[in-house]
Amino acid sequence: MRIFKMEFYKIYSKKIIYFGLIGSILFLLFYFWMSVLGSEYMYIDGKCYTRTAAIRENINTAREYAGPLTKEKVQEIVNRFGYTIEADQLETDLKTGNTKKGYYENSTKKFITENLTTKRFNREGEMRLISEQDSPVIAELMDGTRTFGFTDGWGSDFREMQMMVMVITSVLIVIASAPVFSEEYALHTADILMITTYGKQKSAVSKILAALCFSTLLYFTVTALLFSAFAATYGISGFSVSADLVFSDLAFSKINDGTVGSVLIQYIAAGLLGSWVTTCITLYFSARHKQSFSALIWGMMIYLLPIIINTIILSPLRPTRFIMICRMIIRWFPIYLPMNVLSGIVPIQHYLSYVCSLLLIVGGSILGVRKYIRYQAG
């Protein structure tokens, strides 16, 4: 336990981690205030509400229609509020943001317009509710088996910001993990540690566990702060809403009948798994290189390489079977791992991505320990 505490302290005591963490949190708070809350607005009889006032009024309106989503309920919402008019097409007062009396705009109306009308497929034609002939899958969402409610914030906004958290924490994890083994090579302390009472194997295992504990603590700390900000602003009543009403890809996959809350838990858990993979891959390179900077570069490159390959090389190519298999394999790596939860891919691809992650975690740890031990022995 003593060597574990010492290794853990060596990881979290670096000033660059604190500066990076504080800067990241400030950036996330700024983005939340300016972009997420800054985009919130609604109208009641032409009067414009923004930010938290808009959220409060949206919650009250959505509460009236919470429960099973039926075609009759959707039609009632349309009859009462009509369809959404794009903000740039409204004639508004520049000072107050108000528009003509009699106009109503809210999140419930926006959801119907964006997801359950022909605007989803044809933004130029006449707008009407989707029928069985237009799309049986979308029409099925109004069969009364799905639960509707207020979920603003927990859809694309939380998903986008949580992805930022995953990228930010992964970068900090790479920075923190890169020196774990290589620093001892550079300082020539590896050979000395070999003759300590703790032994080379205990020392190596303690380093792995300390790095994994640090990555877990870091990821959950930033995620908890982000979750608290969203929960305090939007509430958590939307967690009981059917997930396929909020995450459109799940509506077409027909493999996930869970709630928004359960899907977000999976999304966050996949991000944690991805952070463990990033940790162990970086530790492997740390055990291979005598310079921390080399391990850091390799760790960052392996983390970002999948998105570079997918975006620059695979995306422009014709989607042949081989290319589709390559894209599937690319999505097993950490940066894409959480996206699989919301992409509606078949279950076997989920399982393969998790198996691949576990293999990378175990393989990176074992190979890193072996490399470190062999260096000490030499």
Side-chain angles (χ1 to χ4, degrees):
M1 181 60 70
R2 182 181 300 176
I3 186 109
F4 169 81
K5 290 180 179 179
M6 181 181 69
E7 295 297 339
F8 189 73
Y9 173 77
K10 286 166 62 178
I11 293 173
Y12 77 77
S13 61
K14 291 180 172 59
K15 292 182 179 180
I16 189 173
I17 301 298
Y18 288 100
F19 288 135
L21 180 59
I22 293 172
S24 300
I25 292 174
L26 291 176
F27 166 76
L28 290 171
L29 289 175
F30 176 79
Y31 187 89
F32 179 75
W33 176 256
M34 295 298 296
S35 183
V36 178
L37 292 186
S39 64
E40 293 287 351
Y41 73 94
M42 63 97 67
Y43 289 90
I44 298 179
D45 196 21
K47 182 179 180 181
C48 182
Y49 294 81
T50 60
R51 294 185 179 273
T52 55
I55 295 171
R56 184 175 60 251
E57 296 297 336
N58 276 324
I59 292 175
N60 293 334
T61 302
R63 190 178 290 129
E64 300 179 35
Y65 299 99
L69 186 66
T70 63
K71 195 164 186 178
E72 292 74 21
K73 181 181 290 186
V74 171
Q75 190 62 60
E76 180 184 346
I77 294 170
V78 172
N79 293 340
R80 179 179 174 184
F81 300 116
Y83 295 120
T84 291
I85 299 176
E86 299 296 338
D88 57 359
Q89 297 177 358
L90 283 174
E91 295 181 6
T92 59
D93 185 285
L94 294 178
K95 185 178 294 186
T96 64
N98 296 342
T99 188
K100 296 178 181 178
K101 293 184 70 64
Y103 181 69
Y104 290 82
E105 178 70 79
N106 50 61
S107 62
T108 302
K109 175 183 176 180
K110 289 178 187 176
F111 171 80
I112 301 300
T113 303
E114 297 293 334
N115 297 282
L116 301 178
T117 69
T118 52
K119 180 181 180 181
R120 181 168 185 159
F121 305 107
N122 181 12
R123 295 182 174 271
E124 302 298 329
E126 180 184 357
M127 196 181 304
R128 56 178 172 78
L129 290 180
I130 285 178
S131 63
E132 290 280 349
Q133 290 72 29
D134 298 317
S135 173
V137 175
I138 302 301
E140 189 180 339
L141 297 177
M142 298 179 281
D143 64 1
T145 61
R146 272 78 172 179
T147 301
F148 178 73
F150 178 79
T151 56
D152 268 24
W154 294 110
S156 59
D157 289 330
F158 182 80
R159 175 178 56 185
E160 179 183 358
M161 290 204 66
Q162 181 61 19
M163 183 55 66
M164 292 181 187
V165 168
M166 295 170 192
V167 173
I168 288 170
T169 53
S170 293
V171 171
L172 292 177
I173 285 169
V174 171
I175 293 173
S177 301
V180 168
F181 291 113
S182 58
E183 192 173 58
E184 292 187 357
Y185 303 156
L187 297 176
H188 303 288
T189 57
D191 292 331
I192 299 175
L193 290 174
M194 182 181 65
I195 60 175
T196 62
T197 57
Y198 297 109
K200 52 190 176 183
Q201 291 183 347
K202 287 184 178 181
S203 175
V205 171
S206 295
K207 291 177 186 295
I208 298 286
L209 294 177
L212 287 172
C213 287
F214 172 79
S215 63
T216 302
L217 181 62
L218 177 66
Y219 178 79
F220 275 136
T221 297
V222 185
T223 297
L225 290 173
L226 180 66
F227 181 89
S228 300
F230 272 84
T233 305
Y234 294 96
I236 58 174
S237 60
F239 282 13
S240 60
V241 173
S242 298
D244 49 4
L245 293 180
V246 179
F247 306 108
S248 56
D249 286 346
L250 299 182
F252 289 92
S253 68
K254 292 190 173 183
I255 63 169
N256 193 309
D257 295 323
T259 62
V260 170
S262 65
V263 169
L264 288 180
I265 289 175
Q266 296 175 50
Y267 187 69
I268 291 173
L272 176 62
L273 184 61
S275 71
W276 288 346
V277 175
T278 302
T279 302
C280 292
I281 289 176
T282 307
L283 288 174
Y284 168 71
F285 287 110
S286 179
R288 284 187 59 88
H289 296 276
K290 296 182 180 181
Q291 297 297 326
S292 300
F293 184 74
S294 298
L296 187 150
I297 293 298
W298 276 102
M300 289 299 302
M301 187 174 69
I302 295 299
Y303 180 74
L304 297 174
L305 191 60
I307 196 169
I308 295 173
I309 294 174
N310 188 43
T311 304
I312 298 177
I313 300 177
L314 297 179
S315 293
L317 298 178
R318 188 168 60 88
T320 62
R321 178 174 296 183
F322 175 74
I323 296 299
M324 295 303 291
I325 292 174
C326 290
R327 288 180 182 175
M328 180 184 71
I329 294 174
I330 286 295
R331 294 182 71 89
W332 295 350
F333 286 84
I335 198 167
Y336 281 114
L337 197 59
M339 301 180 190
N340 293 337
V341 176
L342 305 178
S343 64
I345 60 177
V346 295
I348 185 63
Q349 293 187 41
H350 279 294
Y351 300 144
L352 287 174
S353 66
Y354 298 147
V355 169
C356 177
S357 297
L358 292 175
L359 289 176
L360 288 172
I361 291 172
V362 174
S365 300
I366 293 176
L367 292 175
V369 168
R370 288 186 61 186
K371 191 69 178 178
Y372 177 71
I373 290 174
R374 288 180 178 180
Y375 175 85
Q376 287 184 314

